[in-house]
Amino acid sequence: EAGVVQSPRYKIIEKKQPVAFWCNPISGHNTLYWYRQNLGQGPELLIRYENEEAVDDSQLPKDRFSAERLKGVDSTLKIQPAELGDSAVYLCASSPNAGELFFGEGSRLTVL
Amino acid sequence: DQQVKQNSPSLSVQEGRISILNCDYTNSMFDYFLWYKKYPAEGPTFLISISSIKDKNEDGRFTVFLNKSAKHLSLHIVPSQPGDSAVYFCAASAWRDDKIIFGKGTRLHILP
């Protein structure tokens, strides 16, 4: 069974540029999460989807971050414009039910 | 304010001995706890979980203990093996389908 797929794995951009990350969850997983992990920290939730509905986006900085999960399958996370402090690993996870999360390998963003 | 605290950034243990990773939490509403393991350049992978109705859960070499009165849980790995060298994240949620809050992680080094 294929795991959670994320792309790109690495992205380097200059500040004020836009960037987008893509995630394809495990087939059949209705719940999809985007987490951000800063260096030396644990993952922090940005947004959680149940199918195509964002059920928790309270931690998403909505002035520059946006996300969508059209058709309730794959999802994109966008940052526009990027700032230096956005450098982090962006992790996507999916879940078949409550509790256990299956993470992708992450997308490491470096903003110069 | 960190709701899930892992106060030891790193831990070194001799191969074959017991590794004990600790975690404290502040939110008394948490009733489901998980441990994740993370290798470099990979996403976290689920290791073991425990519900608040239990005080112990065992899976092979891994055992998680929960002390609700002290708001403390620990992960025991015995015997420790070289492949156990990784970062371990403690995580918790208020209900099994609520968002999962992660600690900062503890880096475990298994010494030959």
Side-chain angles (χ1 to χ4, degrees), chain A residues 14-112:
Chain A
E14 294 190 345
K15 62 181 180 182
K16 301 185 181 179
Q17 294 299 305
V19 64
F21 304 110
W22 176 81
C23 172
N24 190 277
I26 293 173
S27 177
H29 285 194
N30 296 328
T31 309
L32 183 146
Y33 308 76
W34 282 102
Y35 279 85
R36 176 170 61 187
Q37 185 179 11
N38 292 308
L39 191 63
Q41 304 292 316
E44 297 176 336
L45 180 68
L46 291 173
I47 189 168
R48 175 167 66 108
Y49 283 93
E50 292 289 345
N51 297 305
E52 64 272 14
E53 182 184 359
V55 297
D56 184 355
D57 63 354
S58 57
Q59 301 302 311
L60 189 72
K62 298 180 183 63
D63 56 336
R64 297 182 300 106
F65 285 66
S66 64
E68 60 182 13
R69 192 186 183 196
L70 301 176
K71 301 180 182 178
V73 181
D74 56 350
S75 175
T76 56
L77 176 70
K78 297 178 182 178
I79 308 174
Q80 182 170 8
E83 297 179 353
L84 295 176
D86 297 331
S87 294
V89 176
Y90 291 84
L91 292 162
C92 179
S94 68
S95 177
N97 51 36
E100 182 181 341
L101 305 182
F102 294 79
F103 283 90
E105 293 183 312
S107 295
R108 180 177 294 277
L109 173 66
T110 301
V111 181
L112 302 176

Side-chain angles (χ1 to χ4, degrees), chain A residues 9 35 41-42 98-99 101 104, chain B residues 36 41 43 89 96-97 100 103-104:
Chain A
R9 287 294 311 277
Y35 279 85
Q41 304 292 316
L101 305 182
Chain B
Y36 279 80
F89 292 102
R96 205 159 180 245
D97 60 351
I100 295 176
K104 291 185 176 184

